[in-house]
Amino acid sequence: MTAARLRGARLGLGALVLVLAIAAEGRAAGFDPFADAARYEFRYQVDLSKIESEADEEIRLWLPLPAKTPDQQVLEEELASSIPYTETVDALGNRMVHLRWTGRAAEGARFELRTVVSRRPSRGLARDAAKPGSPDDPARHLAPTRKIPLDGLIAQLGAQESRGLDTDRARIRSFYDYVVRNLRYAKHGDGWGQGDAIWACTEKYGNCTDFHSLFLGMARSQGISARFHIGFPIPANQMAGEIGGYHCWADAWDPAYGWLPFDASEAWKAKRFDAYFGTLPSDRIGFTTGRDLVLEPAQAGPPLNYFVYPYAERSGVPVEKVSAHFSFQRLGVASARGPAATDARPTP
């Protein structure tokens, strides 16, 4: 595909109800992301001509697309590219596009995603909705990753914080409480932002990546499935603007409940520990899930630590950084206090 094209997502009854409610409410004042759903227009732009290469070098570029979940509906999706692309899905269900060309892209060559997404506050995914073998299968989210080992210090900490607790939900809450009460949200020096569980455990500060990596290590070391999610934050007090960078959060598997979501770093910043456990506000757009990701088609370089920014390879060698520009507009809000007709979320 080379031309821009617009795709209207097929909506279930529950999503349709949500969209109609949003349209009726319009630009409602007093937006509460813990109670209200929101509809966002989001733009993800990349200047392809900025990726330098020699005339005979092959460039491959992957970019993520927003996730489709019971709590996040993709209502419109327009992809415009100066270079042909294909849309693909990886083993964990992450949606993406893949571009390939030779030599330096022409001046002005670009890729742009314009999407309209509706997002409601999330209480997670019900146990029965996590089908065996699907990306939501908890069995797929138990393994260590390069930066999240499950032995040594992390295993010791997980065992310490779960000692004497007889349910997985209690253990999950204990790990969450440890992270929000013992780490500081700070970005200085070296090492933060890599999602290194050992570093976060010893340095006791970092950003959202570090907070949730330590949780994942503690949980998985004790046999509790946990997932890493990444996307972009949407300021609840703004109607439009640029977005400077990513945000991430997590969920953990409670066999009596399903996937239980939380946001430890936002809880720390807001000092609202209970509010961010079991509920995710609608002030975000999710893009991908997982760590140590193998893209589709597979990259030549090592698995990606996480995937939210553009990733490129030049003749099989990873390009250090591909700059991108992100912006949003909030199109409307609607009350999400009542469940939608096709609600797949568990009841707390």
Side-chain angles (χ1 to χ4, degrees):
M1 301 181 193
T2 56
R5 59 100 175 85
L6 182 65
R7 205 170 44 220
R10 293 185 177 179
L11 303 178
L13 178 58
L16 181 58
V17 169
L18 176 61
V19 174
L20 293 175
I22 288 172
E25 289 288 331
R27 295 176 178 272
F31 172 54
D32 178 0
F34 280 97
D36 299 328
R39 182 162 51 100
Y40 304 111
E41 180 183 75
F42 184 84
R43 293 180 182 269
Y44 188 128
Q45 299 168 307
V46 181
D47 184 344
L48 304 178
S49 67
K50 298 294 186 183
I51 305 175
E52 297 185 0
S53 66
E54 300 298 330
D56 59 346
E57 289 184 307
E58 180 186 64
I59 298 294
R60 299 175 71 198
L61 174 68
W62 293 258
L63 304 105
L65 295 174
K68 297 180 179 179
T69 73
D71 295 309
Q72 180 172 293
Q73 305 295 321
V74 178
L75 307 179
E76 297 178 13
E77 194 166 85
E78 183 179 358
L79 306 178
S81 179
S82 303
I83 291 173
Y85 64 87
T86 57
E87 298 182 47
T88 64
V89 180
D90 73 4
L92 288 178
N94 295 314
R95 305 169 59 234
M96 64 193 74
V97 295
H98 176 245
L99 290 71
R100 185 196 304 259
W101 70 93
T102 301
R104 188 162 186 169
E107 190 69 27
R110 67 187 182 93
F111 177 91
E112 180 175 352
L113 160 70
R114 189 197 73 84
T115 186
V116 175
V117 170
S118 68
R119 178 91 190 188
R120 66 183 177 184
S122 174
R123 297 193 302 272
L125 187 68
R127 178 185 57 197
D128 294 344
K131 305 300 183 184
S134 74
D136 296 315
D137 185 347
R140 304 186 67 175
H141 303 280
L142 277 167
T145 68
R146 289 176 300 163
K147 293 184 181 294
I148 308 178
L150 305 184
D151 55 6
L153 180 61
I154 297 300
Q156 294 169 19
L157 185 59
Q160 168 190 307
E161 295 303 314
S162 60
R163 188 172 295 119
L165 302 177
D166 58 4
T167 67
D168 282 347
R169 189 184 183 102
R171 297 182 187 100
I172 291 166
R173 181 60 195 242
S174 179
F175 302 149
Y176 169 86
D177 285 343
Y178 179 89
V179 170
V180 298
R181 297 183 189 281
N182 288 276
L183 270 63
R184 293 178 298 110
Y185 189 91
K187 298 186 286 188
H188 60 79
D190 297 322
W192 66 271
Q194 298 302 307
D196 186 321
I198 295 291
W199 187 92
C201 182
T202 55
E203 298 298 323
K204 290 187 167 48
Y205 79 91
N207 74 347
C208 57
T209 321
D210 307 305
F211 273 61
H212 295 105
S213 294
L214 179 54
F215 176 94
L216 262 64
M218 294 172 68
R220 291 184 181 184
S221 75
Q222 304 305 304
I224 295 175
S225 298
R227 300 187 294 186
F228 176 91
H229 303 278
I230 195 165
F232 294 94
I234 306 295
N237 60 350
Q238 291 180 225
M239 290 301 300
E242 297 184 354
I243 298 174
Y246 68 79
H247 181 55
C248 56
W249 53 95
D251 54 5
W253 180 256
D254 175 3
Y257 180 85
W259 284 107
L260 183 69
F262 56 88
D263 190 332
S265 57
E266 286 301 295
W268 187 93
K269 289 193 287 184
K271 299 298 183 284
R272 298 179 63 189
F273 298 165
D274 290 339
Y276 282 92
F277 182 80
T279 300
L280 288 178
S282 59
D283 56 354
R284 62 199 63 208
I285 299 176
F287 269 69
T288 62
T289 297
R291 301 283 294 275
D292 284 6
L293 295 174
V294 176
L295 306 178
E296 179 60 40
Q299 70 269 35
L304 297 194
N305 190 19
Y306 48 78
F307 182 41
V308 69
Y309 296 144
Y311 172 76
E313 293 182 342
R314 183 187 300 113
S315 296
V317 178
V319 175
E320 183 174 346
K321 183 179 180 181
V322 179
S323 61
H325 179 263
F326 316 108
S327 60
F328 81 98
Q329 180 179 1
R330 192 164 76 236
L331 302 177
V333 301
S335 174
R337 290 175 175 81
T342 58
D343 203 332
R345 301 176 296 172
T347 300

